[in-house]
Amino acid sequence: LKKKLKNKRKEEFIMKKEVVVEGMKCGGCANTVREKFEAIEGVKSVAIDLENKKAVIESQSIIDNETLVSVLSDTKYAIVD
């Protein structure tokens, strides 16, 4: 007797946010910003575009700019509006 197993994939909410980060000049800068953003609860991935000074954050929850500014507050980097 064979039973059919239904593949029940849970739908996941993914928010994608792109921000300009002032002060990133090298790979070390990009890694610092990435690590800071990855430490935010719910963040799934962070992609850094160093040439254009952009970060793309994918998260399971909504992240506002205040949160991003806050995690960078002890660094030399800043979110540009």
Side-chain angles (χ1 to χ4, degrees), residues 5-13:
L5 298 176
K6 290 184 180 180
N7 185 5
K8 292 185 179 182
R9 288 182 93 179
K10 252 187 162 177
E11 294 249 347
E12 251 184 34
F13 170 80

Side-chain angles (χ1 to χ4, degrees), residues 9-20:
R9 288 182 93 179
K10 252 187 162 177
E11 294 249 347
E12 251 184 34
F13 170 80
I14 299 291
M15 180 216 74
K16 191 173 186 177
K17 184 174 190 86
E18 183 176 298
V19 294
V20 175

